[in-house]
Amino acid sequence: MSDCDSAVQWAIFMPDLVQQQQKGFRMVSFEYKKLPAMRFIGKEKDFSMDSEELEELFRTLDLLSGYHSGFDRDILFIHHRSKGVDVEPPHKLWGRFMAANTPVPEGFEAIEFAPEDNRQPGQPYLSQFAYAVFAGDQNAMHQREGFDSDAMYDVTRNTILGQNVPIPYPEKYWTAEVFPEGPANGSYIYLFSAQIS
């Protein structure tokens, strides 16, 4: 009964909270995606002081043009190695989703994804996720004060909860920021792991 109570409360209160959290920006669209098996290829490094090296990372991935996943965007991928956020710090990798079995360039890391849940913690993570597109002020979208992570994260998560869709936390939990025009131009699309089937 307590689980049922919680689900009802999420469904009732989250839509209002989501509206209140959107100050200076708005959610333009929201949908769920389920993609085939994929391999995320990237590097876990803070590139804030070395934008040229980040550009080189994506140039290297451009050379893998025969291995497109169908979701070929520059991404900042975040996960906690299938542990709770209070147990494992976030691991942030810059890279792209590529086709399954794409060769991994030297110095890069691979994270595996599958469309179905194998019921085991860890990889492969699920290639099922919420896809939220935002518009408005970049600073407002990435505002952290008063949010669990930042505004885009909270609004996306709370939309999922308000729709009573399970988030596979912590076993298959991950999120990502998408940079449609490249990292220099900011992110306004957020991905959030969800269990839609």
Side-chain angles (χ1 to χ4, degrees), residues 5-194:
D5 256 7
S6 295
V8 169
Q9 288 185 46
W10 286 124
I12 291 172
F13 297 116
M14 278 301 164
D16 282 345
L17 179 59
V18 164
Q19 287 305 313
Q20 294 169 23
Q21 290 178 314
Q22 295 178 66
K23 294 179 181 171
F25 71 100
R26 64 188 175 87
M27 184 186 291
V28 176
S29 65
F30 182 92
E31 64 181 303
Y32 295 100
K33 293 185 179 283
K34 181 177 180 180
L35 298 182
M38 302 184 295
R39 171 175 281 171
F40 182 86
I41 297 177
K43 287 186 179 182
E44 184 177 353
K45 183 176 177 180
D46 179 1
F47 290 99
S48 59
M49 302 301 289
D50 195 347
S51 59
E52 288 183 16
E53 190 177 351
L54 182 58
E55 289 174 14
E56 179 60 30
L57 180 153
F58 287 113
R59 280 196 294 271
T60 300
L61 295 178
D62 286 341
L63 298 175
L64 300 172
S65 59
Y67 296 93
H68 290 301
S69 67
F71 194 84
D72 309 300
R73 303 280 184 87
D74 297 348
I75 300 243
L76 177 59
F77 179 84
I78 306 152
H79 72 131
H80 296 262
R81 300 190 194 274
S82 302
K83 299 175 183 170
V85 298
D86 55 342
V87 175
E88 183 74 17
H91 296 271
K92 300 179 178 184
L93 293 86
W94 287 95
R96 288 191 190 132
F97 289 110
M98 310 296 290
N101 302 314
T102 299
V104 182
E106 186 176 348
F108 284 71
E109 182 178 338
I111 297 176
E112 308 300 335
F113 288 80
E116 304 302 331
D117 192 349
N118 65 359
R119 308 290 180 198
Q120 300 294 318
Q123 298 183 43
Y125 292 145
L126 291 176
S127 55
Q128 303 179 30
F129 53 91
Y131 179 89
V133 180
F134 296 92
D137 182 70
Q138 277 281 319
N139 291 330
M141 287 182 216
H142 296 90
Q143 170 70 24
R144 293 187 177 277
E145 188 175 344
F147 296 96
D148 289 337
S149 180
D150 71 5
M152 284 202 306
Y153 173 100
D154 277 32
V155 169
T156 305
R157 179 202 59 199
N158 293 343
T159 301
I160 297 167
L161 293 173
Q163 295 178 357
N164 202 23
V165 172
I167 293 170
Y169 179 86
E171 292 83 1
K172 305 283 186 185
Y173 166 75
W174 60 271
T175 62
E177 290 186 44
V178 182
F179 296 77
E181 285 89 39
N185 296 303
S187 67
Y188 57 86
I189 298 173
Y190 209 86
L191 313 182
F192 207 115
S193 53

